[in-house]
């Protein structure tokens, strides 16, 4: 949004981004939402960053690195004269603090990356990471380095409760103000190792209504928008004022069935894999993509664990759960689930409890309820009834952690390396603590020792081809269990106003989005473009107005709810 300030006012360049998602926590240890990772990407640097083109490791806080012959010891040399945004020196001690505390205390968003690592600091600019096992992810340490002088004040319990509103970071921007469910405002970091950004402020604004967000983009209240509804995206494509981006990075939507290994048990019929398979055959994925996403998606068969398609196996045609109501009915008939009283609803074998399932429907976003309407209609046609109850994402997270559900639909955006998504569905990530059911990621409530054994093998396999084969075997095993019917993969639908800024970076190149990516490189590279009224802007478009500075304190009119698409690194996250 570009508004001319009064001559007496301080002039700042502000980049305003709208989204239908929200930051659940500014603390990188515990937050889980995609927008939280966007905020951390611009506030906290990592040892190595990822190339915008293809994710290969590039210098971050470390300017160089080397490994021992066995690849178990990695030595990083930090850039000279690094500083936190508050002026304090950023040294190898901060890295050692982050890695060793995270490992010892099993920080939620760190433990999978640091579980086998020990960090030491021979000097202020040298970090040595020693892994007890081969680690194919290294030299990339996909974790944010935190300031010891801030986070080190808190013990193991308090650090997970810390709101992290201190505004101290090492990225291009650091937090200025955060109002949960409304906005997060960031100011340029003068101590950023890449140089002070050309933009003074970044504001991530939350809208509870996607149409209102699109309207704000059209009126110039926003410079860019993320998670645009498919129908509105199609219209923006035809508007010469905007550049639209359809960026793929592995995001998926799944229909989950409670696997029964959590704190509470689902309907007993769902413990039977034949029932789960029948349900999968009753879901018409192409119709969901066409009617719910306006065709802007791709029907999928199995878990998406990376934006790199080499990790996704092809499910043999005979094993796919293609839409086939007759086949679904036959599976249930053969398994003994019959409608014995003629009410249209099947009962457990031998009579008794009817197949009436609890469907938890997400209230955020614009896909949850229309998806539920379609799926419940198909289930009714095969003799399965449902009761739907609507939950916001905080409520649904707790519900899933307790295992107190039968069905739900939600989504993920994966990391670049598949390990993190694979890790979520190990037995150890099923919640078993009734006092804290939310700090685990296995939302299928499914435990399989064969899957876990393969996971441990791929985690230490340095040969890429062998590792790809192990991952394929894991994902096919997960597919066959039918606890997670992946409905589709879908793009980030984004748009920005032409002629205002240069520096837009797609990640990965050519196919990815420009915002809400794995490492969010666009923000550090944005620069305002001085364009005469009616002149041509970047991307060949026209801006219809003159670029000017914007006054801090512009009213932020935002919604109070937010759509959460979970990612661990979310992108992964990635």
């Amino acid at each position: 949004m570009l508004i001319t300030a009064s001559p007496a006012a301080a002039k700042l360049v502000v980049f305003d981004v709208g989204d239908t998602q929200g930051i659940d926590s500014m603390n990188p240890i515990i937050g889980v939402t995609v927008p939280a990772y966007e905020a951390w990407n611009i506030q906290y640097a990592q040892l190595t960053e990822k190339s915008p083109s293809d994710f290969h490791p590039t210098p971050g806080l470390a300017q160089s690195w080397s490994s021992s012959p066995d690849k178990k010891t990695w030595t990083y040399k930090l850039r000279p004269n690094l500083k936190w945004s508050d002026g304090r020196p950023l040294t190898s001690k901060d890295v050692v603090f982050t890695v060793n505390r995270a490992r010892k205390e099993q920080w939620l968003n760190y433990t999978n990356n640091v579980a086998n690592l020990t960090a030491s600091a021979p000097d202020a600019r040298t970090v040595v990471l020693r892994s007890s096992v081969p680690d194919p992810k290294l030299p990339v340490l996909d974790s944010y380095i935190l300031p010891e002088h801030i986070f080190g004040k808190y013990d193991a319990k308090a650090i997970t409760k810390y709101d992290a509103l201190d505004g101290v970071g090492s990225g291009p921007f650091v937090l200025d103000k955060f109002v949960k469910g409304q906005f997060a405002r960031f100011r340029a970091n003068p101590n950023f190792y890449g140089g002070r950004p050309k933009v003074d402020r970044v504001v991530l604004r939350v809208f509870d209504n996607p149409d209102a967000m699109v309207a704000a983009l059209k009126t110039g209240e926003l410079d860019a928008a993320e998670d645009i509804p498919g129908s509105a995206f199609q219209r923006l494509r035809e508007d010469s004022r905007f550049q639209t981006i359809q960026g793929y990075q592995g995001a998926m939507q799944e229909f989950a069935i409670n696997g029964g290994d959590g704190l509470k048990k689902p309907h007993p019929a769902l413990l039977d894999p034949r029932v789960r398979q029948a349900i999968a055959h009753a879901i018409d994925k192409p119709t969901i993509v066409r009617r719910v996403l306006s065709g802007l998606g791709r029907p999928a068969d199995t878990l998406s664990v990376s934006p790199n398609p080499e990790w996704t196996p092809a499910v043999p045609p005979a094993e796919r759960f293609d839409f086939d109501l007759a086949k679904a009915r036959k599976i249930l008939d053969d398994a003994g689930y019959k409608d014995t009283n003629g009410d249209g609803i099947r009962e457990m074998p031998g009579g008794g409890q009817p197949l009436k399932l609890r469907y938890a429907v997400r209230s955020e976003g614009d896909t949850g309820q229309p998806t539920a309407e379609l799926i419940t209609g198909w289930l009714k046609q095969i003799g399965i009834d449902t009761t739907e109850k609507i939950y916001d994402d905080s409520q649904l997270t707790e519900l899933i952690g307790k295992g107190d559900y039968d069905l739900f639909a939600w989504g993920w955006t994966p990391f670049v390396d598949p390990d993190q998504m694979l890790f979520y569905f190990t037995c150890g990530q099923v919640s078993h603590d009734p006092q804290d059911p939310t700090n685990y990621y296995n939302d299928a409530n499914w435990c399989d020792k064969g899957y876990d054994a393969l996971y441990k093998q791929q985690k230490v396999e340095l040969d890429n081809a062998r590792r790809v084969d192990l991952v394929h075997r894991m994902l096919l095993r997960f597919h066959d269990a039918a606890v997670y019917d992946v409905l589709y993969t879908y793009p980030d639908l984004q748009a920005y106003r032409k002629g205002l800024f240069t520096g837009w970076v797609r990640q990965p190149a050519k196919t990815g989005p420009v915002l809400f990516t794995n490492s969010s490189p666009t923000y550090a590279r944005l620069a305002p473009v001085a364009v005469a009224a009616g002149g041509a802007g970047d991307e060949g478009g026209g801006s219809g107005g003159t670029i000017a500075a914007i006054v801090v304190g512009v009213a932020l009119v935002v919604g109070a709810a937010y759509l959460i698409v979970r990612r661990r690194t979310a992108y992964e996250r990635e």
Side-chain angles (χ1 to χ4, degrees), residues 329-330 332-343 345-355 383:
R329 294 187 191 102
K330 187 176 188 307
L332 294 173
D333 287 340
D334 292 347
Y337 296 87
K338 305 290 181 66
D339 175 14
T340 59
N341 60 9
D343 66 352
I345 307 302
R346 298 173 186 267
E347 296 94 32
M348 294 292 292
Q353 186 174 356
L355 270 60

Side-chain angles (χ1 to χ4, degrees), residues 161-357:
K161 307 294 183 183
Y162 179 47
D163 59 16
L165 302 183
D166 51 83
V168 176
S170 54
F173 295 89
V174 291
L175 186 67
D176 183 50
K177 185 173 183 179
F178 175 51
V179 179
K180 190 173 183 178
Q182 295 188 29
F183 69 92
R185 186 172 66 222
F186 301 83
R187 65 183 185 277
N189 177 10
N191 295 326
F192 177 50
Y193 65 74
R196 190 187 189 282
K198 301 287 195 303
V199 170
D200 298 303
R201 297 284 188 270
V202 169
V203 183
L204 305 180
R205 298 176 53 185
V206 186
F207 288 78
D208 62 348
N209 185 320
D211 293 329
M213 178 183 70
V214 173
L217 179 67
K218 289 182 175 180
T219 60
E221 295 175 52
L222 295 176
D223 301 312
E226 150 75 357
D227 198 23
I228 295 171
S231 56
F233 183 80
Q234 300 284 23
R235 292 191 293 271
L236 287 172
R237 269 180 168 172
E238 301 170 0
D239 192 326
S240 62
R241 295 174 298 167
F242 303 101
Q243 179 67 43
T244 55
I245 302 291
Q246 189 172 335
Y248 282 90
Q249 53 182 342
M252 68 177 179
Q253 187 86 353
E254 83 282 352
F255 182 69
I257 300 173
N258 192 336
D261 291 312
L263 292 167
K264 294 188 178 183
K265 301 300 180 186
H267 189 291
L270 297 183
L271 301 177
D272 185 343
R274 296 170 297 180
V275 174
R276 301 197 298 261
Q277 292 166 7
I279 290 173
H281 278 296
I283 296 176
D284 185 350
K285 299 175 186 179
T287 293
I288 292 176
V289 169
R290 186 176 67 255
R291 294 178 58 179
V292 177
L293 298 184
S294 299
L296 297 171
R298 302 168 181 166
D301 291 314
T302 192
L303 206 61
S304 175
V305 295
S306 170
N308 184 345
E310 77 169 333
W311 299 104
T312 303
V315 179
E319 298 175 19
R320 289 203 305 258
F321 300 130
D322 293 332
F323 180 58
D324 190 333
L325 292 176
K327 186 172 184 177
R329 294 187 191 102
K330 187 176 188 307
I331 291 172
L332 294 173
D333 287 340
D334 292 347
Y337 296 87
K338 305 290 181 66
D339 175 14
T340 59
N341 60 9
D343 66 352
I345 307 302
R346 298 173 186 267
E347 296 94 32
M348 294 292 292
Q353 186 174 356
L355 270 60
K356 190 169 188 176
L357 309 179

